[in-house]
Amino acid sequence: MLKLSTKYFKRVMSLPSTQLVKAAMTEQINLKLSWFVGIESVIKSFNNIDLPDRNSSSLLNATFLADSCSPELMTENLRKLFRDSWGSLVKDSRKLSFYSEVKKEFGWEPYLNHARSFQDRRATTQIRSSSHHLRIERGRYDKTPLDERTCNYCELNINQLIIEDENHMLHSCPLGKVPRDRFQSLSGNLVSIDGNGSFNLASTFMSQSDCKDTPSDEDVSLIKLSTSTIN
């Protein structure tokens, strides 16, 4: 939207002053109406433009802005600002601690393209973003201390107090043993086994930013299998 607005501003400012739309824009500029004030602020901020003469008329300054601004540069600067803000938010948010483990860089994730169904894609996204019903998340709502957000199944069945978080559910909880065993059997050599003879299902959908633009058939198979297992 901002890119289109900037292109529109540049195009109108390039028109002859006899054009009605240029006359309307000139009136906006002279009266410092909200649309122009807004687009002026954005253009100056995200194109790194300093007006050569701040005492010049608003119309002269607007003409200079229109001649100097680059919608493409503004878009890239906005993207950089968003990426930086996203990185700070992920790093500083306790709620997103698991997300920060599996999402290292801002970008599109292959599982969004290759999950077998909407349900698989949604379930995987919910786990990645902690939008689920595990105790680690539900405990936030009733102010349960972190070390008391334990797995009810493990407490009742194996007499262990283990925090019920994403890694516990994906990696070690006995309640998930059947789908994990099935995943390991079907995945064959697609995943590596750790030193304890186990594997971490979470690692199968970590950030793929360093992968090829076109995942291999093995990558796609693993994505489909892991997302369906999580669902």
Side-chain angles (χ1 to χ4, degrees):
M1 179 64 77
L2 285 174
K3 186 176 182 180
L4 290 175
S5 297
T6 306
K7 285 186 174 182
Y8 173 76
F9 174 69
K10 287 176 66 71
R11 182 168 64 85
V12 171
M13 291 301 296
S14 68
L15 295 174
S17 58
T18 54
Q19 294 278 342
L20 181 60
V21 66
K22 176 63 175 290
M25 178 66 77
T26 301
E27 189 74 4
Q28 280 237 8
I29 294 169
N30 290 331
L31 294 175
K32 296 186 180 298
L33 297 183
S34 58
W35 188 91
F36 169 69
V37 171
I39 198 69
E40 178 187 39
S41 175
V42 169
I43 289 174
K44 286 193 294 187
S45 297
F46 293 104
N47 282 272
N48 302 318
I49 294 175
D50 287 323
L51 297 176
D53 185 358
R54 297 181 183 275
N55 296 320
S56 297
S57 69
S58 296
L59 184 58
L60 285 176
N61 284 336
T63 302
F64 176 80
L65 285 177
D67 292 340
S68 305
C69 73
S70 165
E72 291 73 22
L73 176 61
M74 184 178 70
T75 300
E76 181 55 37
N77 285 337
L78 281 169
R79 285 175 178 163
K80 183 179 184 302
L81 177 64
F82 180 84
R83 287 194 297 267
D84 292 344
S85 299
W86 171 87
S88 298
L89 174 64
V90 171
K91 179 181 178 181
D92 298 336
S93 173
R94 291 184 62 184
K95 174 181 171 60
L96 297 176
S97 59
F98 180 72
Y99 184 69
S100 67
E101 292 180 29
V102 299
K103 182 73 172 177
K104 299 300 184 183
E105 295 183 20
F106 180 80
W108 187 263
E109 296 294 334
Y111 83 89
L112 295 170
N113 291 331
H114 299 293
R116 286 192 176 100
S117 68
F118 168 76
Q119 289 76 17
D120 291 351
R121 189 165 61 248
R122 179 177 61 184
T124 301
T125 300
Q126 288 175 326
I127 286 293
R128 288 169 61 94
S129 59
S130 298
S131 301
H132 47 61
H133 298 290
L134 299 178
R135 290 291 304 283
I136 189 68
E137 182 61 22
R138 286 190 291 117
R140 301 180 194 278
Y141 308 140
D142 57 15
K143 308 300 182 182
T144 301
L146 181 61
D147 59 357
E148 295 179 15
R149 300 175 195 174
T150 54
C151 175
N152 290 331
Y153 184 89
C154 289
E155 183 176 358
L156 293 173
N157 290 273
I158 60 175
N159 197 31
Q160 290 187 5
L161 297 177
I162 303 173
I163 294 177
E164 186 185 43
D165 59 13
E166 297 87 357
N167 279 309
H168 172 67
M169 187 273 287
L170 292 169
H171 192 202
S172 59
C173 183
L175 188 60
K177 185 177 187 306
V178 172
R180 281 199 303 272
D181 287 349
R182 177 179 176 274
F183 173 85
Q184 187 171 350
S185 174
L186 293 175
S187 62
N189 296 323
L190 295 177
V191 293
S192 57
I193 308 301
D194 64 25
N196 297 321
S198 185
F199 68 96
N200 190 345
L201 181 55
S203 66
T204 65
F205 58 92
M206 287 188 177
S207 183
Q208 303 293 318
S209 58
D210 58 344
C211 288
K212 303 175 288 296
D213 291 337
T214 304
S216 67
D217 291 342
E218 290 79 8
D219 291 333
V220 172
S221 296
L222 184 57
I223 289 170
K224 289 180 177 179
L225 183 57
S226 60
T227 54
S228 63
T229 300
I230 290 166
N231 185 30

